[in-house]
């Protein structure tokens, strides 16, 4: 993940407090190069949902940019950086990394996972200077 994307993602999550923030990450060769901030239509501190029209338009734009979906991120304002049962249930993109940003403590905790057939597999996130 590009360092600029990392910083922008954390800033977006902090800005949306007390609600969960959400968005998409795209790029090439598995590297998150572009951030797409999405609207959490639930406006909830414990859940998120993306607007289907905005989601479809964004996925189309990612394709037009000749990029691929590399990640889906959201924040846990008061929870840990681990997928909730609802996060696992609604994980429909096995090719994407699921990035969770915990804002429960002063310093954000960011962790990545693959979620395939309800199985959570931890990922290592590597930051690339841009």
């Amino acid at each position: 993940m590009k360092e600029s994307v990392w910083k922008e993602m954390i800033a977006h999550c902090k800005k949306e407090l007390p609600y969960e923030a959400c968005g998409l990450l795209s790029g090439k060769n598995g590297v998150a190069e572009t951030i797409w901030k999405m609207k959490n239509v639930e406006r909830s501190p414990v859940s998120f949902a993306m607007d289907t029209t905005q989601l479809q338009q964004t996925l189309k734009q990612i394709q037009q940019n000749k990029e691929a979906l590399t990640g889906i991120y959201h924040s846990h304002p008061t929870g840990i950086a681990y997928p909730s049962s609802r996060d696992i249930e609604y994980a429909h993109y096995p090719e994407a990394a699921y990035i969770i940003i915990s804002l429960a403590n002063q310093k954000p905790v960011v962790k990545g996972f693959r979620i395939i057939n309800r199985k959570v597999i931890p990922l290592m996130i590597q930051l690339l200077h841009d």
Side-chain angles (χ1 to χ4, degrees):
M1 178 183 300
K2 280 187 171 181
E3 194 172 9
S4 58
V5 168
W6 172 276
K7 288 177 179 173
E8 198 175 338
M9 180 179 68
I10 291 171
H12 177 222
C13 292
K14 286 180 175 178
K15 183 177 175 271
E16 292 299 315
L17 285 171
Y19 305 118
E20 285 194 7
C22 57
L24 305 178
L25 304 172
S26 65
K28 296 178 178 105
N29 303 317
V31 176
E33 302 171 8
T34 310
I35 183 169
W36 306 85
K37 298 172 192 165
M38 305 294 282
K39 182 179 180 185
N40 178 356
V41 294
E42 292 190 353
R43 300 290 297 160
S44 165
V46 294
S47 65
F48 79 96
M50 296 180 194
D51 176 74
T52 32
T53 304
Q54 185 188 22
L55 179 60
Q56 288 168 347
Q57 289 170 343
T58 304
L59 290 171
K60 192 178 195 175
Q61 187 68 52
I62 289 169
Q63 210 171 28
Q64 287 171 349
N65 288 3
K66 298 191 178 0
E67 291 186 341
L69 178 68
T70 55
I72 300 166
Y73 73 88
H74 74 280
S75 60
H76 284 175
T78 58
I80 62 169
Y82 192 84
S84 68
S85 57
R86 185 173 177 192
D87 294 338
I88 295 165
E89 183 182 340
Y90 290 101
H92 299 301
Y93 296 89
E95 73 282 6
Y98 285 85
I99 311 292
I100 300 177
I101 302 95
S102 170
L103 300 171
N105 299 310
Q106 192 138 14
K107 187 175 193 258
V109 176
V110 181
K111 294 200 175 170
F113 307 90
R114 283 260 192 257
I115 304 174
I116 302 169
N117 297 326
R118 302 179 71 83
K119 186 174 183 211
V120 178
I121 305 152
L123 293 176
M124 175 146 21
I125 300 171
Q126 185 177 5
L127 292 185
L128 304 173
H129 299 285
D130 40 345

